[in-house]
């Protein structure tokens, strides 16, 4: 059974399928072919609140990289066309409370 992966900050990008790459602290055991549900929110649900599934996805590739090593083209793949590499890295680092030099798991996926 596929696990749930939260996309709370990029719901619209998942719904319009413009997002095909995500970065995570964790999910290190994913491998190509693994499936997951993209969901609005997976943790911190209030009593009676249910997980809202957005899309079933399949992992294409994963790689460990420093946040600071991301490519500019990944801004578009992350669902933020027009953003600079620096803007995305600052947004990501601040939201996830990490440093630019920290390692992240870059996960490329496709929609099923």
């Amino acid at each position: 059974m596929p696990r749930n992966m939260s996309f709370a900050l990029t719901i619209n990008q998942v719904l319009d399928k413009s997002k095909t790459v995500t970065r995570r602290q964790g999910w290190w055991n994913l491998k190509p072919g693994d499936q997951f549900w993209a969901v609005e929110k997976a943790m911190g649900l209030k009593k009676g609140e249910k997980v809202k599934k957005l899309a079933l996805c399949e992992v294409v590739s994963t790689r460990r990289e420093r946040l600071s090593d991301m490519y500019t083209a990944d801004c578009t793949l992350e669902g933020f066309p027009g953003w600079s590499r620096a803007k995305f890295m600052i947004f990501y680092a601040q939201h996830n409370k990490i440093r630019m030099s920290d390692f992240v798991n870059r996960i490329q996926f496709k929609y099923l």
Side-chain angles (χ1 to χ4, degrees):
M1 176 174 234
R3 294 170 55 192
N4 294 332
M5 187 183 290
S6 175
F7 286 82
L9 295 176
T10 54
I11 293 168
N12 291 333
Q13 290 91 330
V14 171
L15 291 175
D16 70 15
K17 295 183 173 44
S18 63
K19 181 177 183 72
T20 57
V21 166
T22 190
R23 285 172 169 74
R24 303 290 157 147
Q25 285 66 57
W27 293 81
W28 301 111
N29 295 324
L30 282 179
K31 58 189 179 306
D34 286 349
Q35 294 180 359
F36 64 88
W37 280 103
V39 300
E40 274 191 15
K41 183 165 71 167
M43 296 172 58
L45 297 170
K46 296 179 179 143
K47 188 174 182 174
E49 202 173 6
K50 297 190 184 223
V51 172
K52 183 174 178 189
K53 294 178 179 178
L54 303 172
L56 182 61
C57 303
E58 183 176 298
V59 175
V60 173
S61 67
T62 65
R63 73 172 179 248
R64 179 183 162 126
E65 67 181 20
R66 292 187 192 279
L67 179 58
S68 60
D69 291 340
M70 76 172 279
Y71 298 114
T72 302
D74 272 4
C75 293
T76 299
L77 299 177
E78 285 271 8
F80 295 95
W83 278 32
S84 70
R85 180 176 161 268
K87 182 176 181 178
F88 180 84
M89 288 188 306
I90 291 167
F91 165 78
Y92 187 90
Q94 286 178 342
H95 176 75
N96 291 285
K97 298 176 178 60
I98 66 167
R99 297 178 306 248
M100 299 288 183
S101 61
D102 287 347
F103 283 96
V104 296
N105 188 6
R106 181 191 183 275
I107 302 164
Q108 186 172 1
F109 62 92
K110 64 182 180 182
Y111 296 92
L112 299 178

